[in-house]
Structure formats: C-alpha cells, structure tokens
C-alpha cells in the first residue's frame, strides 16, 4: 500500500535536513542516494519511496532553497504597491533573505551555491521564473510610461545587470554587506525609473571613440 | 657590476612571458622563484637580479595584467570628452579589452583571476586606482549638476554597483558576451546620469513594507 501523501511530504522534509547535515559535514561534494540513505538510517529502497531518483532529490533541494524567494516574488508582484515600490521590494526582500541565510551559516550557503553551479540545469528554472515575474513588473511600469523606447526583454536584461550585485549571492560573499545596502538598492531602482529609456545612449555608442589599447 | 636598467627591464618582460607559459601549463598553482628560474633556464641567483623576491614578481605580474586598463583610465580621465561620454568610455573600453583577453585565451584569463584572488593584496591597489579615477569623473559631473544630494563616495559606490557586470571579469565568464554588450552599458550610463541623485529613494525605504519571509 502506498504511504499517504502527507507522510511522504514529511519524510521528504526530514530527508532534506539530513542533506543539510551532509553538506555541512562534507561541503559541496556530490551526495549519492546511497550516502543519503546511510546518513538517514534507512535502506536505499526505502529512500526511493521519497525521491524516485537523484534528479528528484536535487529538484527538491532547489525547491526548498528557492522557497522564500519564490514566495516573495509572487507576493510582491500580486501586491497593489506602486510599481516603483514593487520593483524595490522585489529585489530588496530577496536580498535581505539571502543576507540572513548567509549570516546564519556562511559555509552552508557557499556549499549550496557550489552545488547549484554543478547542477545548473536544476537552477535555471528559478532564474527564468525570476525573469518572468520581473517582466510583469516591467510591463506594468511601461503602461505608466516608464522605460520608453525599450522592449520588455531589453528592460529586464538591463535591470538584471544594474542590480546584479543584489541578486547574485556571490556578491554578498565577495563585496560584503558593508557595501551592499538596501538604501543603495533604492537609489539604483530610482535611477532605473528616472533614467532608463529614451535617452542619449544611441549617441554615446555612435560617437564613441573606442579604440582597443593593446 | 650592475646590469644596465634597460637590460633588467627586457629581462623582466621576458620572464613574464615565461610566467604565462607556466600558468598555461599548470593553471593557477603557486609559482615559486625556483620553478620560474628552472623554466627560464637560469640559476635562482640570476633570477633574483630581476625580481628581488616573490612579492616583486607578483607585483610585476599584476602591473602587466592591469597595464592596458590603467592606460585607458588615464587617457579617458584626461581627455576633453563630455563627462557622460567619459564615463561611458571609462567602462566600455576596459570591458572590451577584457573581452578581447578572454576570447584570446579563456583559460589563461581564468587562471590569472584565480591567482589574483589568492594574492588580493597585490590587486587591491588597482581597484583603488579605478575608484580614484572614477571619483575624478564623478566630481566633474557634479560640477555640471549631476548626482545631486549624493557625496562623491556614495556616487562612486553606486556606479560601481550598477556597472559591476562590466568591470568584474567573472561576469564575462558566467553571464557571457551575448548578454553583456556596450549598447547596454550605454543605457546604464544614461540611467546614472539621468536618474541617480535627489530622488524619491528615501521614500522607497521609508515606506518600505519589507518583511523577512522565513
């Protein structure tokens, strides 16, 4: 008889905390199903009731890793905040969650980031999801006259580049929370809304004096 | 008798190409003076005529690594371009040099970046130099009324964050030159000049609804 769904869910959540412990102990080394079964004190065949294969396990790890961030994205996008505040909170809240995670257990975050790089196929969906929600906010801003002359995709890409330091967890590690502050993020969001769009930028590249010095 | 200075200079330049070869062959492993002497086919005591110690060698490696970028920074800052174009070229030219280096020998660049991380004390001076030249351009822009309500240091920090993708060589590797383009950089520079300064940003953080979701 199949276990009831809630038992499976509870078992999975418990197994994910065992994964945490393994990552704490071993760092970003690959965790096999056999390792996990041993660490959880269950037989491999029992483990497969919870995660049918390694991919399912990795997806569950990613889902939990991005859970808070996904929640924030939905909440902010669906809120009735003014669009500029939406943009700010879309980035600021997730940044603060990341800082909190980093400060609680820096090494655990670093290890998960490495695991994420090794299995980028699992992470890609979450990156795309972020772009999806961002483009909803951008479309709303465009209806109000912002980002004139740019397409949604161009705007999404420019915004992602301008706030890269606040979305890339590596930045928190290398630039540090002394320099990365939500007050600065607010200035950058303002620069987007006040300055990104029909501009003299065509002129900048057209009249460019760029020579490669070599 | 001491060798004439020009001979020393020529010898150093030659030894730096031997360092390139060693890095190509071995990657980012630490190169000792003994290794370098052996690879150059000279005695260690002869090598010490060119570099008095390991630190002097590392400084010479960094100096050559940043040579093009330093030249561009001086040239652009001292030019009589309009200040907005100065800002653009200050970042765009160095970005293009970096792309060129990366495309010519990606692995060599990656290895030097790793070596730079291992010896960040040698790199720090060049980062500070970049901030110094950037603050000259910012001061010039402020005289023309840009970035009102911000200090030079705040503006330098905000600009560094907004164009981080174009100055951080890791970005070229991980984001790629498909997404990082000087046309986008021009838009970001415009957003700085048109949008960074006395804004509603105080409002954004004051009225913030930020809650940490956990």
């Amino acid at each position: 008889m199949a276990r009831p769904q809630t038992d499976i869910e509870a078992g999975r959540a418990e197994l994910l905390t065992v994964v945490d412990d393994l990552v704490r102990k071993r760092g970003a080394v690959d965790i096999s199903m056999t390792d996990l079964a041993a660490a959880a004190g269950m037989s491999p065949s029992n483990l497969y009731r919870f995660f049918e294969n390694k991919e399912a396990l990795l997806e569950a790890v990613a889902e939990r890793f991005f859970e808070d961030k996904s929640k924030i994205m939905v909440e902010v996008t669906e809120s009735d905040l003014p669009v500029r505040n939406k943009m700010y909170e879309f980035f600021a809240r997730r940044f603060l969650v990341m800082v909190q995670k980093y400060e609680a257990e820096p090494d655990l975050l670093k290890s998960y980031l490495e695991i994420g790089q090794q299995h980028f196929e699992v992470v890609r969906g979450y990156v795309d999801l972020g772009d999806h929600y961002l483009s909803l906010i951008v479309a709303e801003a465009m209806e109000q006259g912002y980002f004139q002359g740019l397409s949604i995709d161009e705007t999404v890409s420019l915004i992602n580049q301008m706030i890269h330091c606040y979305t890339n967890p590596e930045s928190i590690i290398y630039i540090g929370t002394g320099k990365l502050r939500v007050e600065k993020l607010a200035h950058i969001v303002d620069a987007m809304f006040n300055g990104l769009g029909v501009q003299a930028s065509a002129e900048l590249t057209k009249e460019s004096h760029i020579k490669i010095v070599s």
Side-chain angles (χ1 to χ4, degrees), chain A:
Chain A
M1 208 181 79
R3 282 160 180 262
Q5 196 56 31
T6 46
D7 275 19
I8 293 286
E9 290 300 322
R12 277 185 189 149
E14 221 167 286
L15 282 163
L16 291 177
T17 70
V18 178
V19 173
D20 276 349
D21 285 337
L22 277 172
V23 173
R24 272 187 199 102
K25 218 180 294 170
R26 301 199 203 161
V29 296
D30 225 23
I31 291 166
S32 71
M33 295 293 271
T34 321
D35 295 341
L36 178 56
M42 58 168 69
S43 68
S45 65
N46 197 13
L47 177 61
Y48 282 95
R49 294 185 181 203
F50 298 97
F51 300 108
E52 63 179 349
N53 52 36
K54 176 78 178 285
E55 282 65 46
L57 172 64
L58 284 170
E59 270 163 33
V61 168
E63 194 186 332
R64 196 198 35 168
F65 186 84
F66 288 104
E67 199 183 4
D68 292 351
K69 292 182 183 179
S70 305
K71 218 160 122 188
I72 291 170
M73 291 196 292
V74 175
E75 246 183 65
V76 171
T77 313
E78 289 179 352
S79 76
D80 53 7
L81 287 172
V83 71
R84 193 186 287 233
N85 295 60
K86 258 189 199 180
M87 186 70 83
Y88 170 70
E89 307 234 345
F90 186 74
F91 293 114
R93 286 195 197 186
R94 289 182 296 154
F95 170 70
L96 291 174
V97 164
M98 209 159 61
V99 169
Q100 208 183 32
K101 261 192 193 171
Y102 176 66
E103 287 178 347
E105 278 192 88
D107 290 337
L108 187 65
L109 182 68
K110 280 183 200 169
S111 297
Y112 273 119
L113 291 177
E114 265 187 67
I115 294 172
Q117 273 180 355
Q118 287 157 20
H119 300 281
F120 195 69
E121 71 287 357
V122 184
V123 175
R124 172 157 299 286
Y126 291 93
V127 174
D128 293 345
L129 196 66
D131 283 352
H132 165 72
Y133 284 112
L134 178 55
S135 52
L136 294 181
I137 300 178
V138 165
E140 191 182 326
M142 281 180 168
E143 279 171 24
Q144 296 175 33
Y146 292 107
F147 313 131
Q148 276 182 30
L150 295 172
S151 71
I152 292 185
D153 285 355
E154 282 169 333
T155 311
V156 165
S157 168
L158 285 166
I159 290 176
N160 277 333
Q161 292 183 3
M162 287 169 77
I163 47 71
H164 189 248
C165 297
Y166 290 91
T167 54
N168 177 19
E170 308 273 341
S171 305
I172 297 186
I173 302 169
Y174 292 108
I175 303 179
T177 49
K179 288 191 179 179
L180 295 170
R181 313 205 61 84
V182 287
E183 293 76 15
K184 287 186 186 171
L185 177 56
H187 274 293
I188 296 174
V189 168
D190 272 327
M192 285 172 199
F193 276 85
N194 297 340
L196 207 56
V198 184
Q199 318 292 343
S201 63
E203 227 172 277
L204 280 184
T205 39
K206 204 181 4 181
E207 296 188 12
S208 170
H209 300 247
I210 288 181
K211 288 179 292 272
I212 309 283
V213 178
S214 59

